[in-house]
Amino acid sequence: MKTIGDSKIIEIPKVHDERGSLAVIEKEVVPFAIKRVYYLYDVPSDSYRGGHAHKEQESVIIALSGSFEVIIDDGKSRKRIMLNKPTQGLYIPTNIWREIDNFSSGAVCLVLASTTYNEDEYIREYKTFKNQSMG
Ligand code: TYD
């Protein structure tokens, strides 16, 4: 079973000069083949997103703009991580519960996903997730 210790911050290479910064995600940077990219924007600051785990999907979450906090939970331990740099991605393996809150104004949350969208691989009930993670 995966634990929150299998989650990690990925550093995204960047090129910076007086014209600004450019960050590049090539396939070596992400520990899976990207099948889908989606992003959250226009998020009210009191919004709560996520609240699910995935049976199949691995993800990398990036604060492209602004900041927010991601809670990761493996059923035994829970950790809160602030993302506020467009050059840092939070890798989340399968079977880890995640919640996202404390969005700053103008925050953009980019998600790189290893699967196409399939509601059947979501676990949306914390109780179901918790029972499953206990084996
Ligand atoms: P939801 O899973 O609630 O978003 P979050 O995890 O950010 O809180 O998804 C919101 C809606 O969008 C829900 O009806 C499912 C739909 N959706 C898609 O159609 N395709 C996708 O790739 C995703 C991530 C969500």
Side-chain angles (χ1 to χ4, degrees):
M1 217 36 173
K2 296 290 181 190
T3 70
I4 58 172
D6 296 308
S7 186
K8 61 182 176 189
I9 293 287
I10 290 172
E11 297 292 337
I12 300 164
K14 69 163 181 198
V15 185
H16 174 77
D17 64 31
E18 62 285 353
R19 298 169 300 160
S21 297
L22 181 158
V24 193
I25 302 171
E26 288 197 277
K27 64 179 185 181
E28 293 75 17
V29 174
V30 174
F32 54 79
I34 299 167
K35 286 243 181 84
R36 177 170 46 122
V37 175
Y38 66 92
Y39 41 95
L40 307 174
Y41 61 99
D42 284 351
V43 183
S45 60
D46 59 353
S47 198
Y48 161 92
R49 306 289 314 214
H52 48 76
H54 294 273
K55 296 179 209 165
E56 288 168 14
Q57 184 189 314
E58 298 170 75
S59 326
V60 170
I61 301 181
I62 303 164
L64 266 198
S65 182
S67 66
F68 48 80
E69 294 183 325
V70 185
I71 294 157
I72 51 172
D73 181 324
D74 57 21
K76 292 191 182 71
S77 307
R78 175 168 268 247
K79 192 170 162 187
R80 181 176 274 278
I81 297 153
M82 171 176 267
L83 293 180
N84 59 4
K85 294 190 183 80
T87 53
Q88 282 191 338
L90 176 65
Y91 168 69
I92 305 181
T94 53
N95 285 306
I96 299 290
W97 184 265
R98 89 284 314 271
E99 298 166 15
I100 312 178
D101 64 8
N102 284 333
F103 286 87
S104 71
S105 110
V108 178
C109 171
L110 182 77
V111 182
L112 313 177
S114 67
T115 61
T116 53
Y117 175 68
N118 173 14
E119 188 59 37
D120 292 344
E121 65 90 33
Y122 276 69
I123 306 169
R124 290 196 183 267
E125 285 283 326
Y126 185 75
K127 222 169 134 186
T128 310
F129 168 73
K130 179 101 178 159
N131 288 342
Q132 183 197 286
S133 68
M134 310 260 272

